[in-house]
Amino acid sequence: MKILVTGGLGFIGSHTVVELQNAGFEVLIIDNLENSTIEVLDGITNITKVRPHFQKLDLRVKEDVKSYFKTHNDIAGIIHFAANKAVGESVNEPLKYYENNINSLVYILQELCKLNHQNFIFSSSCTVYGQADTLPITENAPVKPAESPYGNTKQIGEEIIRDTCRINDKLSSIALRYFNPIGAHPTTEIGELPIGVPQNLVPFITQTAIGMREQLSVFGGNYATPDGTCIRDYIHVVDLAKAHVIALQRLLEQKNKSNFEVFNLGTGKGSSVLDAITSFEKVSGKKLNYQIVDRREGDVVSAYAETTSANTVLGWKTELTLDDAMDSAWKWEQKIRAK
Ligand code: WQD
């Protein structure tokens, strides 16, 4: 069965392509290489020994999307990752985010709805919850006004899919709301490509440890949490990738209970920034140079997943730990800096 993965050379996309190939699917990748490099295709191939079909394509160009599907109309399902995802950047460049994240989704759905098989997995985010009132966060937690244009594009994206599923019962879709994806593939063939100054915690930790960054700034030490730093649900990217294959198989086997379902993907365990640093220091044997500074605008205090639905309905749960993720992230950092 052919599966199309948009943004398949990205961080989560590339790890999902590996797990799809491991599960026996034939994978087609489209990516515009704006936030990735073609070498990721070699990394995937080195792991699975099967080179996915790749076409460079910008999903903002409607005519190019239409012509792609004229050739590739025997796709059994689509996993849609292609989007910009930097929260801070989205605040400064909202129209870039609305044009890319929304238009691309609309053009893909317009073509998907013409195919015989209309199975769609959407890359969403726990950002849609904002600061949830109740922890851990269930799928029924209210979606709050987005804290950033990036988060808003995920909320709008889910609504676009929900509205389309409502009028097209041939279309079945699952939105996967990720918590904080971290780590890299244990082979160190693929991982989180560091383009520019990292916004996210773990790449900043590993770049500090390897000497690329002087010091990690911990954004806030006086939150109402046990150690004063923010709490997140850090999930290993390989566990996250496997969830996409399970969600896709749910649709292919028509086990879904409705044609639009939502699942939170997390470990169910909250870890503070200092917990993350402690984990890194333990697995790397390195002392991390960090300093607690002022809070970062827009950060929520605490977010971690209630995983009952993912565990019992979707039939997926995490197997890897924070230490496993930190270990793989550190090995990846050392690998890419050794070149
Ligand atoms: C985690 C914690 C920071 C950097 C965002 C998006 C989410 C997803 C993941 C795209 C926070 C602290 C961070 C640093 C720090 N993105 N931190 N020093 O903000 O939870 O989630 O990225 O899909 O949708 O919202 O992730 O890694 O930026 O921050 O202290 O240099 O680490 O304050 O508490 P975040 P993050």
Side-chain angles (χ1 to χ4, degrees), residues 12 84-88 123-128 147-148 150-151 154 178-182 192 197-205 208 215-220 223 229-234 271-274 276-277 291-303:
I12 303 165
N84 294 115
K85 62 143 199 148
V87 173
S123 168
S124 191
S125 169
C126 65
T127 308
V128 302
E147 313 250 344
S148 69
Y150 159 76
K154 290 302 179 185
Y178 314 151
F179 280 68
N180 285 58
I182 62 169
E192 192 167 3
V197 178
Q199 299 304 304
N200 294 127
L201 177 66
V202 173
F204 210 107
I205 286 177
T208 302
Q215 181 181 62
L216 169 75
S217 297
V218 174
F219 299 137
Y223 285 98
T229 64
C230 292
I231 291 172
R232 295 290 185 275
D233 186 333
Y234 295 101
S271 300
S272 73
V273 178
L274 294 182
I277 292 170
Q291 185 187 7
I292 295 182
V293 300
D294 291 342
R295 298 180 175 189
R296 180 173 69 175
E297 190 67 29
D299 272 338
V300 298
V301 185
S302 181

Side-chain angles (χ1 to χ4, degrees), residues 205-210 276-289 322-334:
I205 286 177
T206 57
Q207 288 189 17
T208 302
I210 204 137
I277 292 170
T278 303
S279 167
F280 176 79
E281 291 181 332
K282 182 170 75 170
V283 300
S284 67
K286 307 240 330 160
K287 189 91 186 74
L288 192 75
N289 178 16
L322 177 60
D323 289 355
D324 295 328
M326 285 296 181
D327 183 49
S328 64
W330 178 228
K331 287 188 165 74
W332 167 249
E333 183 70 58
Q334 290 171 291

Side-chain angles (χ1 to χ4, degrees), residues 4 10 45 94 97 113 134 179-180 193 199 203 228-229 238 256:
L4 170 63
T45 309
Y97 275 67
C113 290
T134 314
F179 280 68
N180 285 58
L193 274 188
Q199 299 304 304
T229 64
V238 171
N256 48 308

